Amino acid sequence: DTPSQTRDTTGMDFYDIKNHWGGVSCAAKALGKGRQSVYRWKETGVPLGEQYRIQVLTEGKLKAAPEQKRLAA
């Protein structure tokens, strides 16, 4: 896995979450979500509220989108 700091990103994505937990099923279980909900993020992106929640759950290993990048969109 490539560390998030070396990629141009606007926050965590589906693959970051999948890789962190070792698969979609494990990620869904850890987040209290259905697998389809997590898979949907592959197409729609991870909702900002979920990004913040995941940032807390991962103790900062996965980071939510920075404020300035979200406002620029």
Side-chain angles (χ1 to χ4, degrees), residues 7-70:
R7 288 187 286 156
D8 180 31
T9 183
T10 58
M12 71 187 73
D13 65 15
F14 167 82
Y15 296 101
D16 295 326
I17 294 165
K18 178 183 164 203
N19 292 337
H20 178 80
W21 273 287
V24 174
S25 293
C26 292
K29 185 174 181 177
L31 298 170
K33 300 278 182 190
R35 285 183 324 191
Q36 290 303 316
S37 294
V38 176
Y39 270 116
R40 192 172 303 120
W41 297 341
K42 187 175 180 180
E43 299 297 323
T44 65
V46 183
L48 187 58
E50 290 294 337
Q51 288 188 39
Y52 284 129
R53 186 168 156 260
I54 292 166
Q55 181 172 318
V56 170
L57 288 171
T58 64
E59 297 179 338
K61 290 180 179 120
L62 298 181
K63 304 279 187 195
E67 183 72 25
Q68 67 274 15
K69 288 188 179 182
R70 283 183 295 148

